[in-house]
Amino acid sequence: MQNHFIIEMLGIKDKHVDVWDFSDQSDYLLVELRTKVKKQKCPVCKEKTKRVHGYRNQKIQGPIMSNRPLQISLRKRRYLCVDCNHTFYEKLQMVERYQRCTNAVQTTALTYTAVGSFTTAAQLTGMTTNRLLRLFNRHKIETTKVLPRAISIDEFKGDAGGERFQTVIADVENKEIVDVLPDRKVDTIKSYLQSCDTSRTEIVVMDLSKSFKQAVRKALGNPLIIADRFHYMRQVYWALDEVRREVQRELDKKARIRMKRSKKLLWKSTYKLSEEEQEKVNQLLQIHSGLREAYDLKNKLDQWFKESDEVTAMQGLEECLMAMNASKIEAFHKVMKTFKRWKQEILQSFMYRFNNGYIEGVNNTIKVSKRMSYGIKDFERLKKKILWRQEVRRALALV
Ligand SMILES: [Zn+2]
């Protein structure tokens, strides 16, 4: 193999590193590297020197080549400063002083961790998982402390650092995760917001969480708070489901199984139902008048949600609230109370429409990061994995 090709393949940028020998050791390939004498600056007194003091062979792991690991033996020079008698090793770009693999291998391994598990990334690059984890722990990812115009605060079940839920702060307009917080407590979110430059932040999108609202009010004063459309409508579907499950419990086995399987069917918007599905729904609703009532309420809210604009939303919401109030279903009374409490924020969601795409993107990143890591118990590692995945994806998209 040509020497310059080896140098290139190993990602070596040091001009004074040369291939001395390349050999096939049957179960691995061996590249011996040597360096040329180069004028050095003494790290102590800053004087220049070319006086060689001695050598040391450093074993370094290279990339996998045609399924065989490549070992590098690097002869490093130790220099002597003739001014202050200090001895020191030459500085090389290709490998950090205490590392046992090249920077190129490390970069590749880190890139793989953004799209796969640590174990897979380690296997592909010939590193041990532990070494890769240590490398990942040392790797710094910058998060901005300047928050954008519109942020969202959302929770997810990360099960890390002894907390079931973590909080993700996202840039709504740019559809990006800004930061990940260790839990969803008022104080955590408040301190985080206070530690940031929030002078540009005008809009906060959130789910119907009292603690998020409290934290935002305490830290940001009076921004425009918008209830996340997906989150509040979910409550309507959950209420319908509560009724369905209650009814289900009273049924005989055959009917119970049929009811159990019809969750999604009942959730579907009526205008999307095929004739056959419509017939199935009708049969289900005949079983129990309470279920029919819950189903009708869901449809009323669904229609309001999908067909209203900033002008009609308020009137429509009042009608929905009245309908829920008039019903005898406890689950929908709860929805009514929540919607009343968050009326302002819910109505704002019709004024300032944000594509829910950001939530999908964010949730997907988190879901994939969690799956790739088989439940990371360490919060910092989970956070880094999420942010790192986003960073690498962004970099790849730009290429
Ligand atoms: Zn010196």
Side-chain angles (χ1 to χ4, degrees):
M1 207 185 301
Q2 298 258 316
N3 286 357
H4 75 259
F5 177 71
I6 294 174
I7 294 285
E8 205 160 284
M9 188 198 65
L10 294 177
I12 297 170
K13 297 199 176 71
D14 304 285
K15 293 270 188 310
H16 62 299
V17 172
D18 253 346
V19 177
W20 179 256
D21 197 19
F22 182 74
S23 55
D24 192 334
Q25 309 280 327
S26 76
D27 52 344
Y28 67 96
L29 303 165
L30 180 68
V31 179
E32 288 177 71
L33 300 176
R34 292 197 176 177
T35 62
K36 287 182 228 158
V37 178
K38 196 184 159 196
K39 200 183 270 172
Q40 304 285 320
K41 197 177 183 184
C42 168
V44 176
C45 73
K46 316 290 179 207
E47 285 300 323
K48 299 277 168 62
T49 180
K50 269 180 126 173
R51 176 84 64 88
V52 176
H53 180 69
Y55 299 95
R56 188 181 77 102
N57 276 319
Q58 185 177 359
K59 290 231 176 306
I60 304 162
Q61 184 215 321
I64 306 266
M65 277 188 60
S66 27
N67 291 324
R68 280 193 297 173
L70 183 111
Q71 286 293 336
I72 299 165
S73 174
L74 170 70
R75 196 182 73 163
K76 276 175 102 171
R77 276 172 209 277
R78 203 167 167 82
Y79 285 89
L80 169 73
C81 171
V82 287
D83 284 272
C84 74
N85 274 336
H86 180 69
T87 60
F88 58 95
Y89 280 114
E90 62 188 324
K91 265 220 168 112
L92 293 166
Q93 176 277 328
M94 65 169 284
V95 61
E96 305 291 339
R97 189 163 164 200
Y98 299 108
Q99 294 314 309
R100 265 171 282 149
C101 55
T102 62
N103 284 338
V105 169
Q106 295 192 351
T107 307
T108 309
L110 282 178
T111 308
Y112 283 154
T113 62
V115 290
S117 70
F118 288 111
T119 317
T120 312
Q123 276 165 359
L124 286 170
T125 48
M127 286 177 103
T128 64
T129 308
N130 275 336
R131 199 194 290 169
L132 177 57
L133 283 174
R134 284 200 299 274
L135 172 67
F136 188 74
N137 288 344
R138 278 198 310 274
H139 182 64
K140 295 262 181 295
I141 297 169
E142 297 295 325
T143 49
T144 178
K145 280 286 180 182
V146 183
L147 296 188
R149 190 177 85 96
I151 59 167
S152 75
I153 305 179
D154 206 356
E155 62 182 27
F156 69 98
K157 198 163 152 284
D159 271 318
E163 292 283 342
R164 269 166 69 80
F165 288 94
Q166 280 69 40
T167 303
V168 59
I169 310 288
D171 179 337
V172 175
E173 288 163 315
N174 290 309
K175 301 184 175 107
E176 267 178 9
I177 298 171
V178 178
D179 217 328
V180 185
L181 312 184
D183 55 58
R184 54 172 178 184
K185 294 174 186 145
V186 177
D187 279 342
T188 307
I189 301 165
K190 190 189 76 180
S191 316
Y192 167 75
L193 292 173
Q194 283 169 342
S195 75
C196 294
D197 174 356
T198 53
S199 55
R200 288 175 57 212
T201 310
E202 296 167 9
I203 296 167
V204 182
V205 184
M206 61 171 73
D207 62 14
L208 311 185
S209 147
K210 225 174 145 179
S211 60
F212 286 171
K213 194 153 136 184
Q214 255 179 308
V216 166
R217 289 255 180 268
K218 280 182 180 167
L220 302 182
N222 215 10
L224 183 68
I225 297 177
I226 300 177
D228 183 75
R229 296 169 66 79
F230 169 74
H231 275 103
Y232 66 75
M233 268 315 278
R234 204 165 59 178
Q235 307 225 349
V236 174
Y237 293 90
W238 285 346
L240 169 61
D241 214 45
E242 210 177 301
V243 177
R244 180 190 59 83
R245 272 180 286 129
E246 264 168 43
V247 171
Q248 191 177 295
R249 248 174 261 135
E250 311 287 310
L251 300 175
D252 62 65
K253 199 179 172 197
K254 204 176 153 198
R256 196 162 65 225
I257 291 168
R258 197 159 59 119
M259 186 63 84
K260 203 173 169 181
R261 287 179 183 158
S262 62
K263 175 174 155 177
K264 288 276 160 64
L265 185 66
L266 292 173
W267 281 14
K268 212 167 176 181
S269 291
T270 41
Y271 67 89
K272 282 185 186 160
L273 291 174
S274 69
E275 239 171 82
E276 197 188 332
E277 286 172 330
Q278 184 66 65
E279 185 49 41
K280 265 189 194 168
V281 169
N282 288 341
Q283 282 171 11
L284 287 168
L285 297 182
Q286 272 164 19
I287 294 174
H288 197 279
S289 64
L291 184 62
R292 177 177 287 282
E293 199 186 341
Y295 186 72
D296 289 342
L297 282 173
K298 183 272 289 181
N299 285 341
K300 189 171 174 60
L301 280 145
D302 185 61
Q303 195 184 7
W304 159 75
F305 179 70
K306 287 187 173 131
E307 294 174 9
S308 301
D309 56 31
E310 67 263 37
V311 180
T312 60
M314 195 195 290
Q315 176 67 27
L317 180 57
E318 292 298 345
E319 282 167 21
C320 286
L321 289 173
M322 279 196 320
M324 286 193 281
N325 195 33
S327 93
K328 288 180 189 63
I329 302 168
E330 189 48 40
F332 278 93
H333 282 179
K334 265 193 279 172
V335 176
M336 179 196 69
K337 282 177 196 156
T338 312
F339 275 36
K340 270 188 171 169
R341 241 190 342 263
W342 290 83
K343 203 184 208 170
Q344 208 53 41
E345 291 83 1
I346 288 172
L347 289 175
Q348 298 288 15
S349 71
F350 289 88
M351 312 267 190
Y352 302 87
R353 280 176 191 264
F354 289 106
N355 189 337
N356 260 349
Y358 82 94
I359 281 286
E360 254 166 65
V362 166
N363 284 342
N364 186 42
T365 297
I366 288 166
K367 210 167 75 195
V368 174
S369 303
K370 274 178 67 183
R371 194 175 58 221
M372 289 186 313
S373 325
Y374 305 108
I376 297 181
K377 285 278 163 272
D378 180 64
F379 168 69
E380 283 302 322
R381 188 172 289 163
L382 175 67
K383 169 182 165 174
K384 259 170 99 170
K385 186 112 182 178
I386 291 169
L387 293 170
W388 179 232
R389 180 179 157 80
Q390 172 169 276
E391 204 168 304
V392 169
R393 281 177 63 106
R394 201 186 303 151
L396 292 176
L398 287 176
V399 171

